[in-house]
Amino acid sequence: MIEEHELIVLGAGVTGLGAAWRAEELQRDYLLLEATERPGGLAASFRDEAGFTWDCGVHLHFSHYDYYDRVFETLFALDERLERTRLAAAWMHGRMVPYPVQLHLHHLPPETQWECLRGLLDARPNPDRRPVTLLAWFRRTFGDGVAREFLIPYNEKIWGTPLHELNSAWIGQRVAVPDRRDVLRRLCLREDHHEWGPNARFRYP
């Protein structure tokens, strides 16, 4: 017997579960399919024989979408989630540079500071004509210095793919683009600003 459904959701990871949740809200007929024994996808965890729990992927959440935040708060009570301020850094030039690096250039060696600042000042971002590849977008938006020193190696490590093969359209709010005057001010005054950017605060279920 072949079942017929209005919607088929493939995979019970976070996106698939979210799609099923929305289908329930809209009272749509759907079928959620998952190939493994349990839901969760990269947000799942498993326990090994020694009793340790391992996360399959990153379990933090951050969002700028009211609907997403309302669903998250519906699913997890206050005592079931933690909220934290980001405190992250990148190991560069033999030192820890606070994240996001593009706003903390004063932690870099003087020559590198200048290369990054010169690139930022020369950069000509154009939101109406976004470059197709992520590599081109980084260079156009941040200049060659910040792109070479941080954004290219960091993102190639994170995504495991050459950046000229990734489309820039998915960037959205994930990469913080600082005001050049703010960069220059913090470079001159040697000020840190940890609570800046799209994921300055995040939540753990």
Side-chain angles (χ1 to χ4, degrees):
M1 178 179 174
I2 298 177
E3 294 186 33
E4 293 188 4
H5 298 275
E6 184 181 2
L7 301 171
I8 302 293
V9 180
L10 300 179
V14 173
T15 302
L17 293 172
W21 177 277
R22 186 62 174 151
E24 286 279 353
E25 282 188 330
L26 298 174
Q27 300 182 339
R28 303 281 292 274
D29 172 52
Y30 72 95
L31 177 65
L32 174 61
L33 301 174
E34 169 57 44
T36 64
E37 296 178 355
R38 64 186 68 177
L42 292 178
S45 301
F46 67 92
R47 184 166 295 174
D48 66 17
E49 296 177 355
F52 293 101
T53 299
W54 299 86
D55 296 337
C56 296
V58 178
H59 281 201
L60 62 88
H61 291 260
F62 64 91
S63 163
H64 295 282
Y65 300 101
D66 290 338
Y67 174 77
Y68 175 91
D69 292 335
R70 289 197 306 271
V71 171
F72 184 91
E73 290 161 8
T74 299
L75 293 173
F76 300 99
L78 283 174
D79 61 350
E80 295 177 321
R81 61 182 189 259
L82 300 171
E83 186 166 336
R84 294 290 183 263
T85 299
R86 180 194 64 224
L87 183 57
W91 180 254
M92 301 171 63
H93 296 277
R95 66 196 73 185
M96 299 300 288
V97 179
Y99 179 90
V101 170
Q102 55 268 35
L103 200 64
H104 294 96
L105 301 180
H106 55 280
H107 288 270
L108 295 169
E111 299 83 1
T112 308
Q113 290 179 27
W114 168 239
E115 288 299 315
C116 292
L117 181 61
R118 183 174 65 179
L120 277 168
L121 294 174
D122 290 342
R124 294 291 177 265
N126 184 345
D128 297 325
R129 298 186 65 185
R130 179 189 292 272
V132 173
T133 71
L134 188 53
L135 178 63
W137 186 80
F138 281 150
R139 287 180 170 155
R140 169 81 63 83
T141 306
F142 296 92
D144 287 335
V146 173
R148 180 186 65 250
E149 292 291 329
F150 175 63
L151 291 171
I152 293 172
Y154 174 79
N155 281 277
E156 285 189 343
K157 181 177 182 180
I158 289 292
W159 302 109
T161 304
L163 301 189
H164 68 270
E165 296 180 9
L166 294 177
N167 193 293
S168 68
W170 62 270
I171 284 294
Q173 298 171 332
R174 295 190 63 91
V175 179
V177 181
D179 183 276
R180 298 178 195 180
R181 291 171 296 182
D182 200 17
V183 173
L184 187 56
R185 176 178 181 272
R186 296 186 185 284
L187 182 60
C188 293
L189 300 180
R190 304 189 65 79
E191 288 182 348
D192 290 350
H193 189 18
H194 298 285
E195 295 189 31
W196 180 83
N199 59 346
R201 292 189 64 81
F202 50 83
R203 296 178 290 188
Y204 288 100

